Coordinates of all heavy atoms in Angstrom, one line a residue:
R29 N 110.7 102.0 86.7 CA 111.0 100.5 86.7 C 110.8 99.9 88.0 O 111.1 100.6 89.1 CB 112.4 100.3 86.2 CG 112.9 98.9 86.2 CD 114.3 98.8 85.6 NE 115.3 99.5 86.3 CZ 116.0 99.1 87.3 NH1 115.8 97.9 87.8 NH2 116.9 99.9 87.9
V30 N 110.2 98.7 88.1 CA 109.9 98.1 89.4 C 110.6 96.8 89.5 O 110.6 95.9 88.6 CB 108.3 97.8 89.5 CG1 108.0 97.2 90.8 CG2 107.6 99.1 89.3
E31 N 111.2 96.6 90.7 CA 111.8 95.3 91.1 C 111.0 94.7 92.2 O 110.6 95.5 93.2 CB 113.2 95.4 91.5 CG 114.1 95.8 90.3 CD 115.6 95.9 90.7 OE1 115.9 95.7 91.9 OE2 116.5 96.1 89.8
Y32 N 110.7 93.4 92.2 CA 109.8 92.8 93.2 C 110.5 91.7 94.0 O 111.3 91.0 93.5 CB 108.6 92.2 92.5 CG 107.7 91.3 93.4 CD1 107.0 91.9 94.4 CD2 107.7 89.9 93.2 CE1 106.2 91.1 95.2 CE2 106.9 89.1 94.0 CZ 106.1 89.7 95.0 OH 105.3 88.9 95.8
L33 N 110.3 91.7 95.3 CA 110.8 90.7 96.2 C 109.7 90.3 97.2 O 109.0 91.1 97.7 CB 112.0 91.4 97.0 CG 112.6 90.5 98.1 CD1 113.3 89.3 97.5 CD2 113.5 91.3 99.0
N34 N 109.7 89.0 97.4 CA 108.8 88.5 98.4 C 109.5 87.5 99.3 O 110.4 86.8 98.9 CB 107.5 87.8 97.8 CG 107.9 86.4 97.2 OD1 108.7 86.3 96.3 ND2 107.2 85.4 97.6
L35 N 109.2 87.6 100.6 CA 109.8 86.7 101.6 C 108.7 86.0 102.4 O 107.5 86.4 102.3 CB 110.6 87.6 102.6 CG 111.7 88.5 102.0 CD1 112.3 89.4 103.1 CD2 112.7 87.7 101.3
I36 N 109.1 85.0 103.2 CA 108.2 84.3 104.1 C 108.0 85.1 105.3 O 108.9 85.5 106.0 CB 108.7 82.9 104.4 CG1 109.1 82.1 103.2 CG2 107.7 82.1 105.3 CD1 108.0 81.8 102.2
L37 N 106.7 85.4 105.6 CA 106.4 86.2 106.8 C 106.1 85.3 108.0 O 105.4 84.3 107.9 CB 105.1 87.0 106.5 CG 104.6 87.9 107.7 CD1 105.6 89.0 108.0 CD2 103.2 88.5 107.3
Y38 N 106.8 85.7 109.1 CA 106.6 84.9 110.4 C 106.0 85.8 111.5 O 106.4 86.9 111.6 CB 108.0 84.4 110.9 CG 108.4 83.1 110.2 CD1 109.3 83.2 109.1 CD2 108.1 81.9 110.6 CE1 109.8 82.1 108.4 CE2 108.5 80.7 110.0 CZ 109.4 80.8 108.9 OH 109.8 79.7 108.3
V39 N 105.0 85.2 112.2 CA 104.4 85.8 113.3 C 104.3 84.9 114.5 O 104.5 83.7 114.3 CB 103.0 86.3 112.9 CG1 103.0 87.4 111.8 CG2 102.1 85.1 112.5
T40 N 103.9 85.4 115.6 CA 103.6 84.5 116.8 C 102.1 84.5 117.0 O 101.4 85.4 116.6 CB 104.4 85.0 118.1 OG1 104.0 86.4 118.3 CG2 105.9 85.0 117.9
E41 N 101.7 83.5 117.8 CA 100.3 83.4 118.0 C 99.6 84.5 118.7 O 98.5 84.9 118.5 CB 100.0 82.1 118.8 CG 100.3 80.8 118.0 CD 99.9 79.6 118.8 OE1 99.4 79.7 119.9 OE2 100.2 78.5 118.3
D42 N 100.4 85.2 119.6 CA 99.9 86.3 120.4 C 99.8 87.6 119.7 O 99.4 88.6 120.3 CB 100.6 86.4 121.7 CG 102.1 86.6 121.5 OD1 102.6 86.6 120.3 OD2 102.8 86.8 122.5
I43 N 100.2 87.7 118.4 CA 100.2 89.0 117.7 C 98.7 89.5 117.6 O 98.5 90.7 117.6 CB 100.8 88.9 116.3 CG1 100.9 90.3 115.6 CG2 100.0 88.0 115.4 CD1 101.9 91.2 116.3
M44 N 97.7 88.6 117.6 CA 96.4 89.0 117.5 C 95.8 89.5 118.9 O 94.8 90.1 118.9 CB 95.5 87.8 117.1 CG 95.9 87.3 115.7 SD 95.6 88.4 114.3 CE 93.8 88.4 114.3
K45 N 96.6 89.3 119.9 CA 96.1 89.6 121.3 C 96.7 90.9 121.8 O 96.4 91.2 123.0 CB 96.4 88.4 122.2 CG 95.8 87.1 121.8 CD 96.3 86.0 122.7 CE 95.8 84.6 122.2 NZ 96.3 83.5 123.0
L46 N 97.5 91.6 121.0 CA 98.1 92.8 121.5 C 97.0 93.8 121.9 O 96.0 94.0 121.3 CB 99.0 93.4 120.4 CG 100.3 92.7 120.3 CD1 101.0 93.2 119.0 CD2 101.2 92.9 121.5
N47 N 97.3 94.5 123.0 CA 96.4 95.5 123.5 C 96.6 96.8 122.8 O 97.6 97.5 123.0 CB 96.6 95.7 125.0 CG 95.7 96.8 125.6 OD1 94.8 97.3 124.9 ND2 95.9 97.0 126.9
A48 N 95.7 97.3 121.9 CA 95.9 98.5 121.1 C 95.9 99.7 122.0 O 96.3 100.8 121.5 CB 94.9 98.6 120.0
T49 N 95.5 99.7 123.2 CA 95.5 100.9 124.1 C 96.6 100.9 125.0 O 96.6 101.5 126.1 CB 94.2 100.9 124.9 OG1 94.1 99.8 125.7 CG2 93.0 101.0 124.0
N50 N 97.7 100.1 124.7 CA 98.9 100.1 125.6 C 99.4 101.5 125.9 O 99.3 102.4 125.1 CB 99.9 99.1 125.1 CG 100.7 99.8 124.0 OD1 101.6 100.5 124.2 ND2 100.3 99.5 122.8
E51 N 100.0 101.6 127.1 CA 100.5 102.9 127.5 C 102.0 103.0 127.5 O 102.6 103.8 128.3 CB 99.9 103.3 128.9 CG 98.4 103.4 128.8 CD 97.8 103.7 130.2 OE1 98.6 103.8 131.2 OE2 96.6 103.9 130.3
S52 N 102.7 102.2 126.7 CA 104.1 102.3 126.7 C 104.5 103.7 126.2 O 103.9 104.2 125.3 CB 104.7 101.2 125.7 OG 104.4 99.9 126.1
K53 N 105.6 104.2 126.8 CA 106.0 105.6 126.5 C 107.2 105.5 125.6 O 108.1 104.6 125.7 CB 106.3 106.3 127.7 CG 105.0 106.5 128.6 CD 105.3 107.3 129.8 CE 104.1 107.5 130.7 NZ 104.4 108.3 131.9
P54 N 107.4 106.5 124.7 CA 108.5 106.5 123.8 C 109.8 106.5 124.6 O 110.0 107.3 125.6 CB 108.4 107.8 123.0 CG 107.3 108.6 123.7 CD 106.5 107.6 124.5
G55 N 110.7 105.7 124.2 CA 112.0 105.6 124.9 C 112.0 104.8 126.1 O 113.1 104.6 126.7
R56 N 110.9 104.3 126.6 CA 110.8 103.6 127.9 C 111.7 102.4 127.8 O 112.3 102.0 128.9 CB 109.4 103.2 128.2 CG 109.3 102.6 129.6 CD 107.9 102.0 129.8 NE 107.9 101.4 131.2 CZ 108.4 100.2 131.5 NH1 109.0 99.5 130.6 NH2 108.3 99.7 132.7
W57 N 111.8 101.7 126.7 CA 112.6 100.5 126.6 C 114.1 100.7 127.1 O 114.7 99.8 127.5 CB 112.6 99.9 125.2 CG 113.3 100.8 124.2 CD1 112.8 101.8 123.5 CD2 114.7 100.7 123.8 NE1 113.8 102.4 122.7 CE2 114.9 101.7 122.8 CE3 115.7 99.8 124.2 CZ2 116.2 101.8 122.2 CZ3 117.0 100.0 123.6 CH2 117.2 101.0 122.6
R58 N 114.5 101.9 127.0 CA 115.9 102.2 127.4 C 116.1 102.0 128.9 O 117.2 101.7 129.4 CB 116.3 103.6 127.0 CG 116.4 103.8 125.5 CD 117.0 105.1 125.1 NE 117.2 105.2 123.7 CZ 118.3 104.7 123.1 NH1 119.2 104.1 123.8 NH2 118.5 104.8 121.8
E59 N 115.0 102.4 129.7 CA 115.1 102.3 131.1 C 114.5 101.0 131.7 O 114.7 100.7 132.9 CB 114.4 103.5 131.8 CG 115.0 104.8 131.5 CD 114.7 105.4 130.1 OE1 113.6 105.2 129.6 OE2 115.6 106.0 129.5
A60 N 113.9 100.2 130.8 CA 113.2 99.1 131.3 C 114.1 98.0 131.7 O 115.3 98.0 131.4 CB 112.2 98.5 130.2
D61 N 113.6 97.0 132.5 CA 114.4 95.8 132.9 C 114.7 95.0 131.6 O 113.7 94.6 131.0 CB 113.7 95.0 133.9 CG 113.6 95.7 135.2 OD1 114.5 96.6 135.5 OD2 112.6 95.5 136.0
H62 N 115.9 94.8 131.3 CA 116.3 94.0 130.2 C 116.9 92.6 130.6 O 117.4 92.5 131.7 CB 117.4 94.7 129.4 CG 116.9 96.0 128.8 ND1 116.2 96.1 127.6 CD2 116.9 97.3 129.3 CE1 115.9 97.3 127.3 NE2 116.3 98.0 128.3
P63 N 116.7 91.6 129.8 CA 117.3 90.3 130.2 C 118.8 90.3 130.0 O 119.3 89.6 129.1 CB 116.6 89.4 129.2 CG 116.3 90.2 128.0 CD 116.0 91.6 128.5
D64 N 119.5 91.0 130.9 CA 120.9 91.1 130.8 C 121.7 90.0 131.4 O 122.9 89.9 131.4 CB 121.4 92.4 131.4 CG 120.9 93.6 130.6 OD1 120.7 93.5 129.4 OD2 120.9 94.7 131.1
N65 N 120.9 89.2 132.2 CA 121.6 88.1 132.9 C 122.1 87.0 131.9 O 121.7 86.9 130.8 CB 120.6 87.5 133.9 CG 120.2 88.5 134.9 OD1 121.0 89.3 135.3 ND2 119.0 88.4 135.4
A66 N 123.0 86.2 132.4 CA 123.5 85.1 131.6 C 122.4 84.2 131.2 O 121.4 83.9 131.9 CB 124.5 84.3 132.4
P67 N 122.4 83.7 129.9 CA 121.3 82.9 129.4 C 121.3 81.5 130.1 O 122.2 81.1 130.7 CB 121.7 82.7 127.9 CG 123.2 82.9 127.9 CD 123.5 83.9 128.9
N68 N 120.1 80.8 129.8 CA 120.0 79.5 130.4 C 120.9 78.6 129.5 O 120.4 77.8 128.7 CB 118.6 79.0 130.3 CG 117.7 79.9 131.2 OD1 118.2 80.3 132.3 ND2 116.5 80.2 130.8
S69 N 122.1 78.6 129.8 CA 123.1 77.8 129.0 C 124.2 77.4 129.9 O 124.5 77.9 130.9 CB 123.6 78.7 127.8 OG 124.8 78.1 127.2
E70 N 124.9 76.3 129.4 CA 126.0 75.8 130.2 C 127.2 76.8 130.1 O 128.1 76.8 130.9 CB 126.5 74.5 129.6 CG 125.4 73.4 129.7 CD 124.4 73.5 128.5 OE1 124.8 74.2 127.5 OE2 123.3 73.0 128.6
D71 N 127.2 77.6 129.0 CA 128.3 78.5 128.8 C 128.0 79.9 129.4 O 127.3 80.7 128.8 CB 128.6 78.6 127.3 CG 129.9 79.3 127.0 OD1 130.4 80.0 127.9 OD2 130.4 79.2 125.8
L72 N 128.5 80.2 130.5 CA 128.2 81.4 131.2 C 129.1 82.6 130.7 O 129.0 83.7 131.2 CB 128.5 81.2 132.7 CG 127.5 80.2 133.4 CD1 127.8 80.1 134.9 CD2 126.1 80.5 133.1

């Protein structure tokens, strides 16, 4: 038995420009600089 679901797909303009030969390493995101600072908002 099959149940079907469809959703609206969203992308950004630069998805076509990704560099397929990127050298990101597994797990690197854990050590990378993250935007941990307070957001650009009045509420700090």
Side-chain angles (χ1 to χ4, degrees):
R29 177 171 60 88
V30 179
E31 292 182 357
Y32 170 68
L33 173 68
N34 72 304
L35 305 176
I36 307 299
L37 179 66
Y38 278 94
V39 297
T40 56
E41 291 183 3
D42 56 356
I43 187 69
M44 300 293 289
K45 302 175 184 177
L46 284 170
N47 177 6
T49 61
N50 75 84
E51 297 180 355
S52 297
K53 296 180 179 179
R56 184 190 181 283
W57 68 273
R58 293 187 173 278
E59 294 79 36
D61 291 332
H62 295 272
D64 291 337
N65 297 327
N68 296 323
S69 166
E70 304 79 19
D71 191 341
L72 297 181

